[in-house]
Structures are given as structure tokens and as C-alpha cells.
Amino acid sequence: MTSQAGPPPTGSDGGERKRLKLLAVTACPTGIAHTYMAAEKLAQAAESRGIDMKVETQGSIGAENVLDDNDVNTADGIIVAADKDVDLSRFAGKRVLTVGVAEGIRNPERLIEQVLSAPVHTAGGAPTAPTAGRGKERSVGYKALMNGVSYMIPFVVVGGLLIAISLSLGGHTDPSGGLVIPKDSFWMDVNNIGVIGFTLMVPILSGYIAYAIGDRPALVPGMIGGWIANTGELYDSKAGAGFIGAIVTGFLAGYLVLWIKKVKVPKFVQPIMPIIVIPIVATTGLGLFFIYVLGKPISWVFEHLTNWLSGMTGTSAILLGAILGLMIAFDMGGPVNKTAFLFGAGLIATGNQTVMGMCAAAIPVMPLGQGLATLIRKRLYTEQERETGLASLFMGCFGISEGAIPFAAARPAQVIPANMLGGAVAGAIAGIAGVEDAVPHGGPIVAVLGAVSGVPMFFVAVVIGSVVTALTTVALVDLRERGEQVGGAGSDGPVLAGAPALVGVSVGAPGPGAGGEGSAEAVGETAGASGVVARQVVREAEAGDAAVAGGVPGEVLSGYLTGQTVKVELDAADKESSIREMAGLLARTGRVTDLDELVATALRREAQGTTGLGEEIAIPHAKTDAVTAPVVGFARSAEGVEWGSPDGTKARLVFMIAVPEAAAGDEHLRILALLSRKLMDAGFRERLLSAADESVVLGVLREVG
């Protein structure tokens, strides 16, 4: 929410014109190189014009150089160059220009001119909304969805694992009650804690989707709306709407709040709008709308699906099993899933245990299949997603289908069809084999505890269904990735597999846990190729720099970069081939034990966001145990390689860094810090480009340390 204002105050002091003071905030979804590149470009442009500028970077290690109240009070304007939501409430009353992070790199001078006539941000305004070109960035809806998913993941993992542990260590089969944990036992308390986590995950998903769209006033209606969507009793349904309902309420809450914010109200009411009026009106309106409007169709679907299934009990076992598998896999806890599950569970008491057998085989397919997919094609997933995949595998073994929800919420178009196909296959195989399940639960755990008859075919159904889901997911996600690469990627934005993921990278507004991914790679990568990073990280790395620079004379980076790893002319013409050629260069040292894994790790990093940093520089890097010690290579490309750099330049100076997992925390950061300082020197870059041969190149590189 902005309003126009007159020219910014310049003031005077004894006839002297006041020196302009500008502020800036830079941020990209991964919080790595482009955050700092934009900061450096803006700072340099301001300095060249005699303008004071302070830049706050919201990188992967958290916010640095944070703007305080005094900075804001004395500022003439604020530039927000970000591809994720930034809280603008602290800038109320100031001129604010919001653009994509790539604009901060490409056109810093133009932004400095534009901010002096930018609209004034008013109290209660929304989070960052583009007022200048953001390039090919992700849509608001995509970023909001990823925000919700990233906050939901811990609840899924914690809740699912606690339930799985309590079932495995404290549960036993009971024909009248499924897998039973004694009520007064320690493991029942553990189970109850896990159930709380599962109960909260749907409101969290909804709430943080809403938060990313409508800021803080949308958080309450989003969470309460998600709770209502997941509680079928409120609208006379035996099953809630599950995570799909939460996505609906999240978007409804966010956009409802944005609409309410546009309503003109008297000035005396404005201070209480974001904390009282908007949350109450939005929560009440959304809640009643879901109960009286959306809830009725959900209840109707549940009732009619149950009646339809009842009429199919005498049909082909293959067809019934496939249909039940499709339903189980569709919404994982929603009305369609619950219809199939309760239908199978209800028939156990009548002596028909084959229907539950079909359901039991389909129940673990989604989490097992999605977890398996993260192992089959690691490069398609972020590190956090791969960790979630391992937890999903564990949950699948205990029949907790919700373990796949983060993947389905992040990539519904790819994951849900893959889940349904695998579930249908598992259900059909169990139907053919006549598998029976005596308890209302699914997954390998029920077979291990003796509740399943036809155990071998049960496991065959589960395994085949999971493999089908995994392979289909990988194929569909890979197809989408290729399509996005052809269409062009955003500045530093990840493909959800790289968010966020997709799954797992927070791209939304600040909230609990915001400020960094905490990984050693993320910390190291913040160095980038910009001088501002050197200034920010060198303070922590001074001791390490001294140690690195004090290596054997004639070596670069204490021997990490040598004549063996320098090449004057890069033969490759594209990014992937260049990375493979650079990996081969590193292999000359004998420190590379698995060349293919090194290449794959570097390409996975590229999938999260390009390492092309602009200024004709690219620094692909990998932390992997495919190398036994840190090693750095350098090569030049006469024509340049298209690397997706934010300033549009092709990479002519390519450094590749590889460090073992154990060394990543220190050496990654130190190497990048040293390179950062030198690569910001235009003369140094020119000397590298004009060096006649490897020996001259190595001589120039010795300036690094």
C-alpha cells in the first residue's frame, strides 16, 4: 500500500546541500551469491554519485548489516531488491522502491534515480510487491505456497516420526482396535505428542501461505481457516479437507486480507486495523464461508463416494483395488482418502478383510515412493528435501501416508498423479492376490506385527507401487525442470527441487526460523564474487585467511589451486559440459575419488540457483566426499559460456571449488572469501583474461593468497 508524495527532503545546513542518504535491502530465495552481488552493485553506484548508502543483506546466514530505526529515520529513500518477501512495515513514511534482486545487479544507477521519486510506503502496507521489473521470477502464488510448505515440513517430520516410533516400540495388533498402544503407557504420551504435530501441520501450511500474501494480519485467519478445513465435524463431514483444503484457505485468507486493506477507514481506526479489525473480520468471514459454503460439498462428496464404493463390493477385485488405491493416494487424509480408508475399515467387522488389504497396500506407497524418488535423482531435490525424503521413507514403513504431503503440496501437478498411479498399482495387485488386513491400518508395520495374510504378495504390491510412484515422479519433475530451463530461470531463484523447493527452502516472509538454512554450504556460498561479501565474511575468516595465505610459496590457496588445475582454454561450450571438464581438471590432482558424483553434486547446486555471478565470472562448487581434500580449479573461455548470470554476461572466468563434507564449514568459506576480494578488482580480472599461458595465469592467481 503506497501513496505519492512530493520530492524527498534534501535540507540545507548553512547553505550547504545535505548529502543524500539511501538504504537498501537485498535478498534472493536461496540467500546466496546474488543477494551480495546486488548489495555490492548498489553500494558502488551510490559511492560513485557521492551518496551515502547502507545495505542490509538477508542471506542464508541471516540478516547482516541490519538497518536500525536511526538509519530509517534519517534515510531519503529505501531500495528493496528482493525475490522473496521482505517486511516493509519498518519503512512506513519513507520512499520505497521494490524490485527483483536482478535489477539491483543490472541497473543500480537507475534504481538510485527512481527511488527519489518512489511512492511513500504507508503503515499497514503489504510485503514487497514489485513496482519495477522483476524479470522471470516466481509468481506470488508459487512463493506463497513454498512459504507454507517450508514451515509445514518440520511438523510433518516430527509428528510422523514420533507416531512411527511409538507404534513400533509400544504398539500391538488388536482385531477390535487396529494397532493399539496401552493408554497409560509412556509410548502413548509419545504418540500423543506426535499427533499434536500432525494436527498442527495443516493450519501451519494454511497460515504461512496466507502470511506470505497478506503479511501478519493474514496469519490468524490463515491458521484458523486451515484448522476448520481439517476438522470435518464443523461442517458435518466424517473427514476434513486435509492439506488441499489448507491450501485453499491459505490463499483465500491472504487475498481476503489484501482486499480488506484496500477499504478506506477513518484515521482513528487505522492503528487497530492490522491487529484487531482485519484479523477478526477475515477470520470470521473465512470460517463461516468454509463451514456453510465449502464444507457442504465436502460432506456431500464423502457421503456419495461411500455409497458408490458400497455398490462396488461385488465387482472385480482388480478394479476395486485400483480405485481404492487411487482414492487413498489422492489427498492423503482428505475426504477422498478417508472415504476409502473408512470404507475398508468398516468392512473388517463384517468379516471382509480383503478391502482393507487393498487399502493397506496403497497407504505406504506415497511416502515410500516420494522418499525413493529423492534417492533416485538427487539433483532434482534440495538438501532439505532429501532429508525430508529419508523421513518420508521411515514414515512409509509405518503406514503414515502424510509423510508425502510436503512433496504433494510443493509439486501437486507432478506428485499427486504419480502417487495415484502407484497407489492404484499396489491396490490392484493386493486385490488380485486376495491380501487381507485384520486391522484398520496400513504399511509394512501391520505385516510385521502379523495383522496381514498373504504377506509376500502384500510386500510385492507395496514395492511395485512405490517404485512406480518414484519413477513417475522423477520423470514428471525432470520434464518440468527441462521445460523451465528452456524457458529461462529467474535471477537466483531455485527450482523447487530446488526450492524449495522447493521443498524445503523458505521463500516467504520472515517467521519462526527465518534467517537461514543453517547448512555449511549455505554459509560458505554467501561469499559469492562481490566485495561486500568479502567485507562481511572476512571479519569471521581473518584467522583462516592468514593461515591460507601463509602456505607454501608458489602455491595458491595453500595448494588448493596449482598448475595442475589451471587451464587457459576451456573446450566446453555449455554449462554442464564445462562443469564436467572442470571436474576432470580437478581429478588431475588425485583428490577426486568419484568424478561422476562430483559432477552430479555440482549440477545439483546449479539446479538450486545459478553460480554465474556476473562480471563474466562463474564459481561452480560442491561439497562432497567424492573429493578427499579441498581442491580449486580455474579455466578461461574465449567465447564465454552461458551460465544464467543475472547481468546477462557469459562466464569467461570459471573457478570450481570442491571440498569434502567434513571440511565444508571452514574451507568453503575461506576459499570464497579470498576469491571475493580479488575478483571485485577489475584489473585482476583483466590480467586473468589477458594472461598468455598457464604459468602466467598461475602467477596472476598467486595474488589471491
Side-chain angles (χ1 to χ4, degrees):
M1 181 175 176
T2 56
S3 61
Q4 296 292 335
T10 56
S12 62
D13 186 9
E16 293 184 8
R17 184 178 178 85
K18 177 186 173 184
R19 186 179 172 99
L20 279 174
K21 179 178 179 181
L22 299 179
L23 305 177
V25 180
T26 61
C28 57
T30 52
I32 306 174
H34 295 92
T35 297
Y36 302 97
M37 286 290 287
E40 181 64 19
K41 291 291 187 181
L42 287 166
Q44 288 177 346
E47 184 177 0
S48 69
R49 285 161 175 71
I51 298 172
D52 291 331
M53 175 173 280
K54 180 178 180 180
V55 185
E56 174 183 311
T57 54
Q58 296 189 3
S60 61
I61 57 175
E64 297 175 280
N65 206 30
V66 176
L67 307 177
D68 57 34
D69 291 342
N70 185 58
D71 294 324
V72 175
N73 290 336
T74 58
D76 296 305
I78 298 103
I79 298 170
V80 179
D83 282 342
K84 71 174 191 175
D85 293 317
V86 174
D87 185 6
L88 301 184
S89 60
R90 54 184 166 154
F91 304 140
K94 294 292 180 178
R95 296 181 180 278
V96 178
L97 177 67
T98 59
V99 298
V101 71
E103 284 295 301
I105 298 173
R106 294 171 185 160
N107 302 301
E109 297 87 356
R110 188 172 68 189
L111 298 184
I112 289 174
E113 295 173 1
Q114 291 177 341
V115 72
L116 299 179
S117 58
V120 173
H121 184 71
T122 59
T128 49
T131 57
R134 281 180 175 253
K136 300 172 183 175
E137 71 155 333
R138 300 289 190 177
S139 67
V140 172
Y142 175 88
K143 293 198 294 182
L145 180 60
M146 293 306 99
N147 195 56
V149 170
S150 67
Y151 286 115
M152 176 185 68
I153 286 174
F155 291 86
V156 176
V157 173
V158 171
L161 293 184
L162 288 179
I163 291 173
I165 291 169
S166 63
L167 284 172
S168 62
L169 299 180
H172 62 272
T173 57
D174 185 333
S176 63
L179 288 174
V180 176
I181 302 173
K183 290 185 178 180
D184 297 328
S185 69
F186 167 79
W187 294 113
M188 176 56 77
D189 294 332
V190 174
N191 183 80
N192 289 337
I193 295 172
V195 169
I196 291 172
F198 259 17
T199 304
L200 289 174
M201 72 174 178
V202 172
I204 290 293
L205 172 62
S206 177
Y208 279 99
I209 289 173
Y211 185 99
I213 297 170
D215 205 7
R216 289 184 179 87
L219 189 59
V220 170
M223 286 193 174
I224 293 179
W227 188 285
I228 292 171
N230 202 40
T231 309
E233 293 89 342
L234 294 173
Y235 41 91
D236 300 323
S237 174
K238 292 183 179 180
F243 82 94
I244 294 178
I247 293 174
V248 172
T249 56
F251 280 103
L252 286 176
Y255 286 108
L256 177 59
V257 166
L258 286 183
W259 178 77
I260 296 174
K261 284 181 178 181
K262 295 178 181 178
V263 177
K264 300 291 185 181
V265 296
K267 286 188 176 180
F268 72 89
V269 179
Q270 290 178 358
I272 64 171
M273 285 292 288
I275 59 174
I276 298 177
V277 178
I278 294 177
I280 289 178
V281 172
T283 301
T284 304
L286 176 62
L288 294 176
F289 178 75
F290 201 96
I291 290 172
Y292 290 109
V293 179
L294 296 182
K296 296 301 180 182
I298 294 172
S299 178
W300 182 90
V301 167
F302 184 90
E303 180 181 348
H304 283 75
L305 280 177
T306 302
N307 294 335
W308 177 61
L309 286 176
S310 297
M312 293 189 65
T313 52
T315 61
S316 164
I318 300 176
L319 177 60
L320 181 58
I323 291 173
L324 289 171
L326 287 170
M327 295 173 66
I328 288 288
F330 174 66
D331 53 2
M332 291 166 286
V336 177
N337 169 283
K338 277 292 190 293
T339 298
F341 177 80
L342 294 178
F343 177 70
L347 290 177
I348 293 176
T350 68
N352 183 348
Q353 299 178 358
T354 56
V355 174
M356 191 62 216
M358 302 171 194
C359 296
I363 285 171
V365 163
M366 298 80 75
L368 291 176
Q370 295 306 320
L372 184 59
T374 65
L375 298 178
I376 293 174
R377 293 293 294 278
K378 292 182 179 180
R379 73 171 183 82
L380 296 175
Y381 297 89
T382 64
E383 184 174 349
Q384 186 181 16
E385 285 184 304
R386 294 195 296 272
E387 292 172 356
T388 304
L390 293 176
S392 180
L393 285 170
F394 189 74
M395 284 185 263
C397 292
F398 293 87
I400 301 171
S401 60
E402 287 86 350
I405 285 180
F407 299 96
R411 299 185 185 89
Q414 291 77 36
V415 171
I416 292 179
N419 284 347
M420 294 175 67
L421 181 58
V425 169
I429 293 174
I432 295 172
V435 172
E436 296 184 351
D437 181 12
V439 298
H441 200 83
I445 183 66
V446 294
V448 171
L449 294 178
V452 170
S453 63
V455 172
M457 287 307 298
F458 173 79
F459 278 105
V460 167
V462 170
V463 170
I464 294 178
S466 300
V467 170
V468 168
T469 288
L471 295 178
T472 305
T473 299
V474 166
L476 293 176
V477 172
D478 196 30
L479 185 64
R480 190 194 70 170
E481 300 291 312
R482 293 177 186 276
E484 289 182 346
Q485 289 173 5
V486 171
S491 56
D492 199 19
V495 190
L496 173 66
L502 250 184
V503 175
V505 177
S506 174
V507 294
E517 291 135 0
S519 69
E521 180 178 8
V523 173
E525 284 166 332
T526 56
S530 57
V532 71
V533 179
R535 292 195 293 272
Q536 291 168 336
V537 300
V538 165
R539 287 192 294 272
E540 291 92 27
E542 283 296 337
D545 289 355
V548 172
V552 178
E555 293 183 338
V556 180
L557 299 172
S558 290
Y560 299 154
L561 191 153
T562 67
Q564 288 180 301
T565 59
V566 172
K567 191 172 185 180
V568 170
E569 185 60 42
L570 194 63
D571 297 324
D574 61 81
K575 182 195 292 190
E576 184 170 346
S577 299
S578 298
I579 288 175
R580 183 166 292 279
E581 186 174 342
M582 292 294 295
L585 196 63
L586 302 186
R588 294 178 182 178
T589 63
R591 297 176 181 177
V592 178
T593 59
D594 189 336
L595 183 63
D596 289 338
E597 178 57 26
L598 173 58
V599 172
T601 303
L603 290 175
R604 284 197 296 271
R605 169 59 191 89
E606 293 295 331
Q608 296 177 30
T610 179
T611 56
L613 304 178
E615 304 287 1
E616 300 181 318
I617 300 165
I619 310 183
H621 45 275
K623 60 170 185 173
T624 171
D625 288 330
V627 295
T628 58
V631 58
V632 181
F634 168 76
R636 288 188 325 210
S637 172
E639 298 298 324
V641 177
E642 180 55 54
W643 218 279
S645 300
D647 64 357
T649 60
K650 292 184 177 182
R652 297 181 63 197
L653 303 175
V654 182
F655 290 86
M656 185 166 183
I657 303 171
V659 296
E661 291 277 359
D666 295 326
E667 296 309 302
H668 211 173
L669 177 60
R670 293 174 182 173
I671 295 168
L672 282 166
L674 288 169
L675 286 174
S676 297
R677 288 185 294 198
K678 293 304 297 182
L679 288 171
M680 284 309 296
D681 180 350
F684 176 74
R685 297 196 302 270
E686 185 57 37
R687 289 194 294 279
L688 280 179
L689 288 170
S690 60
D693 53 36
E694 277 84 353
S695 62
V696 180
V697 168
L698 192 61
V700 176
L701 289 174
R702 288 194 184 106
E703 298 177 28
V704 176

